[in-house]
Amino acid sequence: MMMKELPKRENMLEASENSCEPRIDLRGVLLRLAENICGKGEAAAECVDQALRLHERTQPCTQSGAEQVELLKTVRLFALERAIAIAAPDRSAEFASIKAELELELNSVLPKVPDEDVLIEGHTVAALICGFAAELDDDERAVFLQRYWYFEPLSAISEKLGLGEGKVKRLLAESRRELKKYMKGLGYCQ
Amino acid sequence: MNAEKLLKSLNELDGELVLEAQRPPASRPFYKQARFYAAAAVLLLAAAAIIVKGLLTGGRLRELSADEGQSFTARLTPIAFSSFKGEMRDAGKRISEQMRDHQSYMSSLPTVYSRSFDSCAEAVEYLGYDGLSELPFPFYVSSVSVSASGERSYGFLTPQFSGSQDECEVYGMDICILSQYDILNAETGFIFASEGVRILTDANERHAADSVRVYDSFAVGRDKDDPNSYNIILQSDDERIIEQTFYDYKAQCGEICRIAISHFDAAEPNDSISCYMVHGGMLFDLHLTYYKKDAERALDAMLEWVDSFN
C-alpha cells in the first residue's frame, strides 16, 4: 500500500491562516503584551518569536482559543522572566509601576506568602490567587486583568473598557485591598 | 513571595478569563452583558418594587416624582479652614510633601492625604472643629478615616470625614456600611465625593457577595440664585442600576433627608439605599447595599441612623 505523503508544515500553516475567521492580529497582541512587560525593543520581539517557535507556529493565526491562551501565557512568562532578570532601568515603565503599586498595598502580606508551588489546604498559591481573580465582578476583573495580566497602562484600560481613568484607578485600588484582605484571610498577615 | 512571583502566579489563570479580558466589552458573551439582565429582570423588579413601595408609604417617607427626586437644595454652612483647630491643619503641608515626593509610577493620588483612626472620637479630635460631635452612628465602628484633598495653588481644599466599618452585626444581618460627611470649605465653595460601598446581609453568602460593589455618588454645586444654598445632585455611574426611586423622610430632629433606592437587575443579588441629610450645616450621607430579600431590614437600619441625629 502506498503511503500518502504528508503535507509540508508550511502548507498546513497557510491553510490554517486562510481559514482564520475572524482574523486577529495575534502577533500584535503578543508583541504588545511582551512590550508592556519588558519594554519596546528586541527583547519583546524575541519573547514572541521564542514562544511561537515553542508552539511550532511561524504565523500566529489560529482559531483555537486554547492555542491563543497557550501562546499568551508563554509570551507572558518569557517576558516576565526577562523583566525580572534585567536591571530595573531596562524594564518597561509599566512593569515597574505595577510592581510598585502591588508592593505598596501588599507589603504586609506578600513576604508571608510562600512560593507559588507550595500547597495550602490542597491548593497551590497560584490557584488561590487565580481563584481570587475569577471571583471579582466583571468590571473589576476586566480592569484587574488588563492591569496585572496584560500590564496595560491606566489610560489604555480606560479607553478599552470605556471607563473613566478615575474609575479604573478606583477599581484597581478596591481589588488590591480585596486581595490583601483575601490573603490575610488565608493567614498571611503581619 | 514578592510582587514579581505574584504576577507570575497569575499565569495559571483560567484560559477563558484570559481571553475574556482580551475582548472589548461589546464582544463579551451576551449572557454576561447588563442589557441581558435588564431584559430578564423586568417582571421580577416590578414585583420587588410593589413590595418596597408598600414598605415605604406607611411611615414618614414620601415618594417623589422622577422630576423632583434626583436632586434637592440644601443650606450648607461654609466653614472657614481657620475653624479647624486639630492636627488636620497640617494636611496641606502633608499634601505638599506628597506632591513633592510623588513618582509617576505610583497609583496613589498625591493630592489626597488620609489618616485612619480606631474611633469616631479620635477622628473628631483630629479635625478639631467645635461644631462636630461624634458621628451619630448607632452601630459599632471598627475604623474611621479622615481624608483631605488639595491642589498646589490652594494648598488645601476640602476636608472629608469618612467613617466606615466592616462586618458588624446589625439586626442579625452581616452588614458593611460606609457613612460619610462632607464639610464645605469656605475657601472653595464646592465639594464632590464619590464612594464605593458594599453591604453584606447574610454571613452564609458573604463570600459570593464579596464581589458586589455599588458606586453611588453625588455632586454639590452652589445655587446661582442663593449663595448660601447648594444643589445636591444624586447620581450614579453604575450601569447595572435599572431603576431608582427617591423619597423624602422627616427625621426625628426635624431635618428632611433625601433617600435614593437603587434597584439592580435580577442577576445582582443586591439593591442599595443611599441617604443624604444636612445637619448642623454639614452634609451627612449613608449608603447600604443589601440582599433584595432584606429590603425591610436595611431600610430599618437606614432610618435608625437618620433618627439618631439630635
Side-chain angles (χ1 to χ4, degrees), chain B residues 50-301:
Chain B
I50 291 168
I51 294 168
V52 173
K53 208 167 181 177
L55 277 171
L56 299 179
T57 48
R60 286 167 290 174
L61 284 158
R62 183 175 73 89
E63 184 174 356
L64 303 169
S65 70
D67 291 342
E68 62 183 337
Q70 191 182 8
S71 66
F72 67 103
T73 302
R75 292 177 75 87
L76 301 181
T77 306
I79 298 166
F81 185 53
S82 57
S83 302
F84 297 96
K85 308 292 185 191
E87 274 185 57
M88 203 244 330
R89 292 189 60 80
D90 291 338
K93 188 180 170 189
R94 301 285 169 256
I95 288 171
S96 296
E97 289 170 356
Q98 288 180 167
M99 293 177 81
R100 183 194 63 204
D101 299 335
H102 185 72
Q103 300 294 324
S104 58
Y105 59 75
M106 294 177 175
S107 58
S108 58
L109 290 171
T111 51
V112 177
Y113 175 69
S114 295
R115 285 276 307 272
S116 292
F117 303 93
D118 294 330
S119 69
C120 285
E122 290 174 60
V124 168
E125 186 182 345
Y126 170 71
L127 289 168
Y129 173 55
D130 291 342
L132 193 61
S133 57
E134 187 168 336
L135 191 67
F137 207 70
F139 316 124
Y140 170 74
V141 175
S142 64
S143 70
V144 183
S145 67
V146 175
S147 63
S149 59
E151 288 179 1
R152 195 185 299 275
S153 55
Y154 290 95
F156 181 68
L157 274 181
T158 308
Q160 295 183 340
F161 177 25
S162 303
S164 65
Q165 59 183 27
D166 290 315
E167 297 170 9
C168 68
E169 189 79 8
V170 181
Y171 301 115
M173 302 181 283
D174 256 345
I175 191 167
C176 289
I177 294 175
L178 185 141
S179 68
Q180 167 170 318
Y181 59 89
D182 293 83
I183 304 166
L184 184 63
N185 182 223
E187 281 78 5
T188 65
F190 178 78
I191 60 175
F192 175 81
S194 176
E195 294 295 338
V197 186
R198 156 174 86 88
I199 305 296
L200 314 177
T201 58
D202 187 330
N204 296 326
E205 298 177 68
R206 182 186 310 164
H207 188 62
D210 250 1
S211 62
V212 173
R213 300 284 185 284
V214 177
Y215 294 103
D216 283 318
S217 60
F218 63 96
V220 182
R222 193 189 293 270
D223 191 310
K224 63 181 179 184
D225 299 322
D226 179 359
N228 291 320
S229 291
Y230 295 83
N231 293 315
I232 298 168
I233 301 162
L234 312 180
Q235 54 195 20
S236 176
D237 57 359
D238 196 320
E239 293 172 353
R240 295 169 303 168
I241 295 175
I242 62 173
E243 186 186 344
Q244 275 190 310
T245 45
F246 298 90
Y247 299 87
D248 268 349
Y249 177 77
K250 188 173 184 183
Q252 287 190 358
C253 65
E255 302 279 7
I256 301 291
C257 57
R258 177 63 48 89
I259 294 174
I261 299 184
S262 299
H263 304 285
F264 294 85
D265 61 51
E268 301 286 348
N270 308 74
D271 283 339
S272 75
I273 302 179
S274 296
C275 180
Y276 301 83
M277 180 166 73
V278 174
H279 185 71
M282 290 172 281
L283 178 65
F284 292 77
D285 53 290
L286 180 70
H287 310 265
L288 304 177
T289 301
Y290 53 89
Y291 281 104
K292 295 179 194 296
K293 64 183 172 61
D294 288 329
E296 188 173 0
R297 292 190 296 171
L299 183 64
D300 284 345

Side-chain angles (χ1 to χ4, degrees), chain A residues 167-182:
Chain A
K167 184 162 184 177
V168 170
K169 278 189 177 182
R170 194 173 63 188
L171 288 172
L172 280 173
E174 277 274 337
S175 54
R176 285 197 302 271
R177 277 197 294 272
E178 285 298 310
L179 180 57
K180 183 178 181 179
K181 197 173 168 184
Y182 176 81

